[in-house]
C-alpha cells in the first residue's frame, strides 16, 4: 500500500487543527533516513508557529505496522527528527506523531530533561528484540479515543505556544 494516499488527508487535518490565522504553518518536507543509504524517503509534516517547530508528523503506509523492521525504522526516523528540530524549538515540550496509516504513536521531547518518550528500546547484540512493538501504535485516528488523544495534544501545543518568547 502506498503511503502517499495519506498525505492529502493528513495535510488537510493539520491545516484544520493548526490554522494559519493563528500564525501556524504546516510545512511538508521529504527526508531520507540517515541510517539508510536506500531511497526510502520519508514525508514529514512540520507545524511551525512564528517560524519555530511545535509539532511534527511522519506518515507511513498501513502495511508497515505488520513488520518489526518497518516499525523500528519509523521509530528511528522519529528520533532523528527530534535531533533535527529540538534546537529550533522554543516551547518546553515538542510533540511528534508517527502515523502508520491511521494507527498513531505519540512522542514527546521535554526541554528540561531532554528525554524522548516513548523511551527507546535498545537492540541487543545476542537476541532479536522488537525495538518498536506494534502496541506503541495503539490508537487509531478513526476512533473516538484516537481523535480525543490527538485533540488533547493539539490543545497542549496551543497552550505552549502562548508561552513562546520571541
Amino acid at each position: 500500500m502506498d503511503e502517499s494516499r495519506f498525505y492529502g488527508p493528513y495535510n488537510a487535518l493539520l491545516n484544520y487543527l493548526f490554522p494559519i490565522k493563528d500564525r501556524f504553518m504546516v510545512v511538508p518536507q521529504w527526508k531520507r533516513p540517515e541510517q539508510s543509504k536506500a531511497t526510502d524517503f520519508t514525508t514529514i509534516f512540520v507545524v511551525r508557529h512564528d517560524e519555530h517547530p511545535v509539532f511534527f508528523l511522519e506518515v507511513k503506509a498501513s502495511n508497515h505496522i505488520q513488520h518489526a523492521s518497518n516499525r523500528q525504522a519509523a521509530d528511528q526516523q522519529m528520533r532523528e527528527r527530534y535531533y533535527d528540530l529540538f534546537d529550533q524549538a522554543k516551547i518546553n515540550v515538542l510533540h511528534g506523531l508517527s502515523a502508520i496509516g491511521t494507527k498513531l504513536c505519540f512522542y514527546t521531547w521535554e526541554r528540561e530533561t531532554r528525554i524522548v518518550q516513548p523511551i527507546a528500546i535498545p537492540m541487543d547484540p545476542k537476541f532479536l528484540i522488537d525495538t518498536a512493538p506494534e502496541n506503541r501504535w495503539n490508537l487509531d485516528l478513526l476512533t473516538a479515543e484516537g481523535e480525543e488523544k490527538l485533540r488533547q495534544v493539539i490543545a497542549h501545543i496551543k497552550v505552549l505556544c502562548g508561552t513562546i518568547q520571541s
Side-chain angles (χ1 to χ4, degrees), residues 72-101:
Q72 178 187 24
D75 181 70
Q76 182 61 36
Q77 289 165 6
M78 289 295 292
R79 295 172 194 287
E80 287 175 7
R81 288 321 141 239
Y82 277 106
Y83 281 110
D84 292 344
L85 297 172
F86 83 91
D87 58 349
Q88 301 170 41
K90 300 296 182 198
I91 56 179
N92 292 327
V93 178
L94 181 58
H95 288 274
L97 181 60
S98 172
I100 299 182

Side-chain angles (χ1 to χ4, degrees), residues 47-107:
V47 177
R48 296 181 175 275
H49 184 263
D50 292 337
E51 303 289 324
H52 303 288
V54 296
F55 178 79
F56 67 98
L57 164 72
E58 287 206 3
V59 180
K60 296 291 182 189
S62 303
N63 61 351
H64 278 63
I65 198 78
Q66 302 165 5
H67 304 287
S69 61
N70 290 335
R71 294 190 310 272
Q72 178 187 24
D75 181 70
Q76 182 61 36
Q77 289 165 6
M78 289 295 292
R79 295 172 194 287
E80 287 175 7
R81 288 321 141 239
Y82 277 106
Y83 281 110
D84 292 344
L85 297 172
F86 83 91
D87 58 349
Q88 301 170 41
K90 300 296 182 198
I91 56 179
N92 292 327
V93 178
L94 181 58
H95 288 274
L97 181 60
S98 172
I100 299 182
T102 60
K103 301 287 187 179
L104 309 176
C105 179
F106 292 84
Y107 288 75

